[in-house]
Each structure stands twice: as structure tokens, then as C-alpha cells.
Amino acid sequence: MQTEIQAEYYQATVTCNCGNTFVTGSTKKEIHVEICSKCHPFYTGQQKANQARGRIEQFNKKYGMK
């Protein structure tokens, strides 16, 4: 391995828009992300509720119910 061509490796602080922060390894010192595992619908369980809500609205729209 040629050490002169390798990028520097840091302990990076990852910051989410929701305010959650955690540390990981990266070639950048700081990383800013829009969504993380604390606020993502798949991990928080909100995804199932959103899918069901969409199916209910679709049914009501199809059969003229409000």
C-alpha cells in the first residue's frame, strides 16, 4: 500500500437535521445529513402508518367516500 496516495482518515462527527449526532470513520472531519436512523420513517415505524393512510385515501377516492 502506498501511503503517500492514501487519503487521511478521521473520526468524523455526523450531524442530522433532526439534531442527532454520532461519530464514525471518514475521510472528512464533519458530515451533515438530512435524515438518519433516529428520524427515518422506516426505522421509527411511521412508514407503515403512512402506507395504510395512503391505501385508505385511495379506497375513499375510488368509492366516492369522504
Side-chain angles (χ1 to χ4, degrees), residues 1 4-5 12 16-17 22 30 37 40 45-46 52 54 60:
M1 181 166 72
E4 63 272 358
I5 63 170
C16 179
N17 283 346
F22 56 93
E30 290 186 14
S37 61
H40 193 279
Q46 297 292 326
N60 291 338

Side-chain angles (χ1 to χ4, degrees), residues 54-66:
R55 287 193 301 266
I56 292 168
E57 288 174 2
Q58 206 172 26
F59 176 84
N60 291 338
K61 187 176 180 182
K62 182 176 180 179
Y63 292 105
M65 299 177 180
K66 293 189 179 189

Side-chain angles (χ1 to χ4, degrees), residues 9-14 22-31:
Y9 195 72
Y10 304 104
Q11 291 294 320
T13 302
V14 181
F22 56 93
V23 177
T24 188
S26 177
T27 56
K28 296 181 179 182
K29 291 184 179 182
E30 290 186 14
I31 302 171

